[in-house]
Amino acid sequence: MSTETVRTHLFIDGGWRESAGTETIPVISPLTEERIGSVPEASVDDVDAAVAAARAAYRSGWRDLSHAERAAHLRRFADELESRAEERARTVTSENGMPIALARFAEGQAPVQLLRYYADLIEATPAEEERTSTPLPGTTIVRREPVGVVGAIAPWNFPAVLSMFKIAPALAAGCTVVLKPSPETSADSYVLAEAAIAAGLPSGVLNIVNGGTEIGQYLVAHPQVDKVAFTGSTAAGRQIGRVCGELIRPVTLELGGKSSALILDDADLEQTVAGLASASLLNSGQTCYMSTRILVPESRYDNYVDAITAMSSSLPIGDPMDENVAVGPLASERHRNRVLSMIDRGRNDGGTVTTGGGRPADFDRGFFVEPTVFAGIDNSASIAREEIFGPVLTVIAYDGLDEAISIANDSSYGLGGTVWTTDPDRGVDVARRVETGSFGVNYYNLDWGSPFGGVKESGVGRELGPEGLAAYQSLKSIFLPA
C-alpha cells in the first residue's frame, strides 16, 4: 500500500459486489498522515444482502457438512492465507502502525495457525455423545449444533488475528459469518476475502461489510443474526450487550483492560524489566491485556522506576516497516489525541513523568506518542483506573503482598495481568488470588488451546480453545427410554 489502493466492491456471497451506497472510507497512513487508499462503506442494504447470503449458505449445506469436510475447507483457507501472510502483515502495518516484526506473526501467521487449530479440533470433536439418563433408566443423546449466522465485529489494533478469533471457531462449528472490520483497518480484510475465494470457501459462508458504528449497530440488531461476537471498547460492549439481552441473543464480548504487573520482592530486576517491554508495551501499548499498572515493593521502588524508565526510553521509535522498530505510530489521529489527553490528566493528578510525555521531538508527522512512565502516583489516579490503550505506564508502590493483590483487584477491569518472581509456585499462588480472566507468571502470551476473556467490565464469554468452539454451538438433549 505504498501507493493509493482504491477498493470499489464488498465481499458478499462468495464474490465481489458493488456497494448499494455511495460513501467511502479513507485508509490513512498513521506514519505519513496521508490517504493511502479507500474502501466502500456498506449500506444497510449491503448488510441485508450479506446476512441473507450467510443465512442461505447456513441452511443450504454448510451446517450439514461432516466435521471432517469443514476441517478440510478450513485447511485450504489456511493454506491460501499463509501464501498471503506477508502481504497481509504489511497491509496491517500500513493501516495501523503495528511494527512489522510483530505483524508478521500476529497478523500474518497467527490467523493461519488458528484455522488449522480449529480444523484439528472440530475433526476430533464428536457431534453427539450418549449419556446414561438420571434418575430414570434410559439414554440421552447430547448433540452439539451450530448456533447459526454470526455477526462478528473486529477492532483496529489486531484486525487480522482478532477477526480470526471469531471466524475460525464459528466456521468450524458450522456457523456462517458476516464480519464488520473496524473502519480504521478495513483494507486487510480484502486479503482475507481473496484467500477465501482462492480456497473455494462456499459462497455466503464468509461475508465482509465495511462501516462504522451505525453499520455495526444494524448488524448487531439484525433479525437474521443468531449470535454476536465483538472485540472492542467497554462502552461499545455495553451497548451491544443491551441489544443482545433485549433480543435474547447470545453474545461474546471481549472488552477493555487495565491489568497489573505484580513485581514481588524476590524478582530479578533485569529479567523483569526486560519482560515488561512485551507484557506492558506490545504494539505501542495498543493491546487489551497489557500490564500497564506496575506494582512494586516500596523497598525497591526507586530502583524499578529507574529501570522501567530506562527500558521504555530505549525502545526504538519510527517507521513501523523497519524491522528494528519497537514503537510505531498509534493507529489514528483521534486515538493519539486521546492518549495525549490522558497523559495531561496524569500530570494534573500529580504524577511525575520520568520519560516521554508527548510526541517525539524528531518526528514532525505521524501519530506518534513516546513511551511514557508515571511515578509518584497511586491507584486512585485516573491514569491508573482508565484504559489508555497507548504506551503509558504507571509505577505504583505497595507495602506487602496482600496490599499488592488488593491494588490489583481494585479495578473495574479483569482481563490480563502478570506476576514477576523467582519462585514460580509463589507466582501461581498470586495468580489464583487476582480477579482476572488470564494471567502470566514471568511472561504473558496467549495460548490457542486455552480460553481467553475477561471478568467484570472486561467482557462476557471466552474465545480460543475448546471453549471458543463451544461459544458457537448450541446443545440439544434427546431423551430415549430404556
Side-chain angles (χ1 to χ4, degrees):
M1 299 188 69
S2 57
T3 59
E4 187 165 338
T5 301
V6 177
R7 300 284 191 172
T8 58
H9 291 71
L10 300 170
F11 179 62
I12 295 174
D13 201 17
W16 301 111
R17 166 190 171 124
E18 287 190 10
S19 173
T22 59
E23 299 299 317
T24 61
I25 300 171
V27 180
I28 304 298
S29 165
L31 177 66
T32 67
E33 304 186 28
E34 297 173 353
R35 178 180 171 129
I36 57 174
S38 65
V39 301
E41 183 172 9
S43 68
V44 295
D45 290 339
D46 295 316
V47 176
D48 287 342
V51 173
R55 174 67 60 189
Y58 175 70
R59 287 178 170 168
S60 65
W62 182 254
R63 65 180 177 182
D64 300 318
L65 294 180
S66 70
H67 289 191
E69 288 171 323
R70 286 203 297 272
H73 277 292
L74 265 60
R75 293 188 181 108
R76 286 193 292 271
F77 194 9
D79 291 345
E80 292 296 337
L81 273 178
E82 186 169 41
S83 71
R84 295 165 173 79
E86 177 68 13
E87 177 188 3
R88 199 168 192 204
R90 296 181 71 84
T91 301
V92 170
T93 294
S94 297
E95 291 178 296
N96 72 1
M98 181 184 295
I100 188 64
L102 172 60
R104 285 202 172 102
F105 171 72
E107 304 296 271
Q109 291 300 323
V112 175
Q113 294 178 7
L114 280 165
L115 279 168
R116 290 175 177 157
Y117 169 78
Y118 278 106
D120 292 345
L121 183 61
I122 195 63
E123 203 167 39
T125 302
E128 298 179 349
E129 64 176 280
E130 290 190 3
R131 301 181 186 177
T132 302
S133 297
T134 303
L136 299 177
T139 301
T140 299
I141 299 172
V142 178
R143 178 173 172 79
R144 298 175 180 87
E145 298 180 344
V147 297
V149 175
V150 175
I153 301 178
W156 49 257
N157 60 326
F158 286 86
V161 69
L162 292 178
S163 295
M164 197 56 72
F165 274 27
K166 299 150 185 58
I167 295 168
L171 297 191
C175 301
T176 55
V177 175
V178 178
L179 170 68
K180 191 202 80 67
S182 170
E184 288 86 357
T185 49
S186 293
D188 68 280
S189 65
Y190 284 82
V191 185
L192 177 71
E194 289 161 359
I197 293 170
L201 198 66
S203 297
V205 168
L206 174 64
N207 309 270
I208 304 173
V209 291
N210 309 317
T213 300
E214 290 183 3
I215 289 300
Q217 290 172 339
Y218 188 75
L219 177 62
V220 166
H222 199 286
Q224 294 300 311
V225 166
D226 300 298
K227 175 188 167 66
V228 172
F230 171 78
T231 298
S233 71
T234 295
R238 281 196 182 95
Q239 295 178 8
I240 292 169
R242 289 189 193 103
V243 172
C244 290
E246 180 68 26
L247 296 171
I248 318 298
R249 176 169 296 170
V251 62
T252 300
L253 301 173
E254 196 271 279
L255 307 177
K258 192 67 179 179
S259 303
S260 293
L262 284 79
I263 300 176
L264 304 192
D265 53 12
D266 66 344
D268 179 275
L269 185 148
E270 184 176 343
Q271 292 179 0
T272 296
V273 173
L276 290 175
S278 173
S280 300
L281 289 168
L282 186 73
N283 196 23
S284 306
Q286 298 170 118
T287 307
C288 53
Y289 55 72
M290 291 288 90
S291 295
T292 55
R293 291 185 296 152
I294 302 176
L295 313 185
V296 179
E298 284 185 350
S299 61
R300 305 185 69 185
Y301 186 78
D302 291 341
N303 290 339
Y304 268 102
V305 168
D306 291 344
I308 293 166
T309 298
M311 177 274 290
S312 301
S313 62
S314 71
L315 296 175
I317 306 173
D319 184 343
M321 289 293 184
D322 184 335
E323 303 280 350
N324 299 312
V325 161
V327 179
L330 301 189
S332 68
E333 180 179 23
R334 179 178 64 178
H335 186 56
R336 178 198 61 192
N337 292 342
R338 180 187 178 278
V339 172
L340 291 175
S341 72
M342 291 298 296
I343 291 172
D344 288 342
R345 288 174 64 181
R347 289 190 176 100
N348 292 336
D349 286 342
T352 299
V353 174
T354 64
T355 188
R359 300 182 63 178
D362 298 335
F363 294 86
D364 59 1
R365 64 177 182 172
F367 306 138
F368 289 96
V369 173
E370 299 169 292
T372 299
V373 177
F374 275 94
I377 209 160
D378 64 26
N379 200 52
S380 65
S382 59
I383 59 167
R385 305 200 69 81
E386 296 182 29
E387 183 179 42
I388 300 175
F389 219 62
V392 181
L393 309 179
T394 57
V395 187
I396 300 171
Y398 70 81
D399 180 15
L401 181 57
D402 288 343
E403 184 181 33
I405 292 171
S406 177
I407 294 171
N409 289 337
D410 181 18
S411 173
S412 60
Y413 296 105
L415 184 60
T418 52
V419 61
W420 304 84
T421 174
T422 54
D423 183 348
D425 290 338
R426 188 182 181 205
V428 172
D429 287 341
V430 169
R432 292 186 176 112
R433 296 177 63 188
V434 177
E435 298 163 356
T436 186
S438 60
F439 206 78
V441 178
N442 293 325
Y443 95 126
Y444 187 101
N445 201 7
L446 298 186
D447 170 13
W448 301 156
S450 300
F452 172 71
V455 300
K456 298 188 275 189
E457 293 184 14
S458 287
V460 175
R462 294 293 180 268
E463 296 184 303
L464 302 181
E467 294 80 5
L469 177 65
Y472 296 93
Q473 295 174 320
S474 179
L475 296 176
K476 176 186 289 181
S477 295
I478 303 172
F479 309 119
L480 301 172

